[in-house]
Amino acid sequence: MAAPSARRVVLVTGANSGIGLALCGRILSKDDQIHLCMACRNMQKAEAAKSELLLSHPGADISLLKLDVGNVDSVIKGAKEIRQRYQHLDYLYLNAGIMPNPRFNLKAFLNGLFSRYFSHLREQKEHYRQWTRPAFVCCLLPCNYCPHGLSGIVNSHACPPTYEWHDGTTVRIAAQMFQEPMFDPDLRKIFNMFATADGLLTQEDWLSDDGIQQVFMTNVFGHFLLIRNLEALFGRSGCTSQVIWTSSSNASKSTFSLTDYQHSQGQESYSSSKYATDLLSVCLNKHYNNKGLFSSVVCPGFVLTNLTFNIFPPIFWTIITPIMWLIRIFTNSFTLSPYNGTEAMVWLFTQKPESLDPMVKYHSCTSGVGNTYVATYKMDIDIETAEVFYQEVLKLENKMTTKLQITGDNS
């Protein structure tokens, strides 16, 4: 049955648990007059999730759609069903994703931890050596002539022992020396390593039934194919439509390669796939903004869901979870709960897409005391690389579509 055309239509993939389910609940709390379509692979779990939402939102208009973004045929058929149900699509949340058989790379963890520590020590040692060879004490008490009121050790080669060392340039350098802590490792970089899992996680990947790497198929290509097959529903009647990708701070340029964009030769397929979504989002804005479609990417932060729980055995999480709540004092990316992780997604639901920056990733953040907010960070994206990748994915789409037509799977 088609949804009333007056209602805004919101479709969420991977909606039956975790971030997807929390997102559905929060959007219904924002606007209970929308029509919510929960696109899920497992219909039994989808029915349970729908029942849970109806308990807290009794009057909600919710429908279910069987959709497996890890399978080309399922995406094509799902898109056809969506086109039959709805006259327009206002919000498409591309949330479904997989991180198969994640493994913690202990060697990378130790290397990252200690290389960051000793690298900082080397930098500080060089900084100290530069400013104390040979040296003399300018004065014992702050000098009124010096605008910074500094006294201490200065480089006698650069600044002979006269008051000439007080000139603006020299004082600024000296001030920098006194302001920077000596032999104090940059804890922010270490916390960032934990928060992004940069280089710490490896995954096992395999070819899907369609002959595409499964992580790339599920996290990237399946969603791209869905967008392409729903073009007729975007930007209808002069209104705008939004596509919102669930990306990650783990999206890494270093793991992505145009010559192996499916990441068949590496072990960080998840990180590569999330960077690929960032690239596609940028190009979708380039090619579709004039048609009323706008694309954004969000990072939910570090959230405790089934995906993350699979990384370590249960005993680990029992021990470490209380510690994570303490770590959140030092890093805003530890959102931890699915509810907190949806903050940026819900914020985008309330924004005019025309006003958004296509080169920005919107991060869900949580303060040390638990307050949620949205932070923006520029993405490390090369426009030319993004366009080349976009064209390659279009070629893959054409190949898969032709294959389906030949085999008659979509008849």
Side-chain angles (χ1 to χ4, degrees), residues 341-397:
T342 63
E343 185 67 21
M345 301 174 181
V346 177
W347 181 81
L348 286 172
F349 181 73
T350 65
Q351 304 303 305
K352 292 182 178 180
E354 308 96 316
S355 65
L356 301 173
D357 187 342
M359 298 300 294
V360 157
K361 182 177 293 186
Y362 298 90
H363 287 242
S364 298
C365 299
T366 306
S367 69
V369 295
N371 296 324
T372 56
Y373 61 98
V374 176
T376 58
Y377 295 93
K378 282 285 186 180
M379 294 187 289
D380 184 15
I381 297 291
D382 177 74
I383 301 297
E384 292 184 4
T385 300
E387 182 60 31
V388 172
F389 175 56
Y390 180 79
Q391 296 301 326
E392 288 297 319
V393 179
L394 286 177
K395 293 177 184 177
L396 181 61
E397 177 200 3

Side-chain angles (χ1 to χ4, degrees), residues 168-365:
T169 303
T170 306
V171 167
R172 282 195 293 272
I173 297 174
Q176 182 182 5
M177 181 184 76
F178 287 107
Q179 289 171 358
E180 292 185 1
M182 289 290 183
F183 308 110
D184 182 19
D186 192 345
L187 293 177
R188 287 174 298 179
K189 292 182 179 179
I190 295 175
F191 282 124
N192 182 69
M193 179 178 65
F194 280 105
T196 63
D198 184 18
L200 300 185
L201 295 178
T202 60
Q203 300 89 39
E204 295 178 13
D205 202 358
W206 61 90
L207 282 177
S208 69
D209 294 338
D210 300 298
I212 301 173
Q213 292 297 133
Q214 191 65 66
V215 173
F216 178 81
M217 177 66 217
T218 305
N219 296 0
V220 186
F221 185 65
H223 281 138
F224 179 79
L225 198 59
L226 183 63
I227 293 170
R228 294 277 293 167
N229 281 270
L230 295 178
E231 281 188 27
L233 302 184
F234 296 133
R236 296 292 295 270
S237 303
C239 297
T240 58
S241 298
Q242 283 184 265
V243 169
I244 300 167
W245 302 76
T246 301
S247 182
S248 171
S249 57
N250 186 244
S252 175
K253 187 177 184 178
S254 63
T255 62
F256 179 84
S257 170
L258 281 174
T259 58
D260 183 28
Y261 61 79
Q262 294 189 36
H263 205 75
S264 61
Q265 304 301 315
Q267 292 186 309
E268 296 182 71
S269 53
Y270 181 80
S271 176
S272 176
S273 72
K274 291 304 180 181
Y275 188 76
T277 64
D278 296 351
L279 293 172
L280 286 180
S281 180
V282 169
C283 280
L284 285 173
N285 283 306
K286 175 183 176 182
H287 293 279
Y288 284 93
N289 280 178
N290 62 351
K291 299 177 182 179
L293 177 64
F294 295 82
S295 179
S296 300
V297 287
V298 301
C299 171
F302 185 82
V303 180
L304 298 176
T305 64
N306 291 333
L307 189 143
T308 51
F309 283 135
N310 288 332
I311 300 173
F312 297 108
I315 185 63
F316 172 86
W317 294 110
T318 302
I319 297 172
I320 203 68
T321 299
I323 299 175
M324 288 184 171
W325 290 92
L326 294 176
I327 293 177
R328 195 166 71 178
I329 298 174
F330 303 98
T331 175
N332 60 7
S333 61
F334 273 46
T335 48
L336 299 184
S337 74
Y339 181 94
N340 291 345
T342 63
E343 185 67 21
M345 301 174 181
V346 177
W347 181 81
L348 286 172
F349 181 73
T350 65
Q351 304 303 305
K352 292 182 178 180
E354 308 96 316
S355 65
L356 301 173
D357 187 342
M359 298 300 294
V360 157
K361 182 177 293 186
Y362 298 90
H363 287 242
S364 298
C365 299

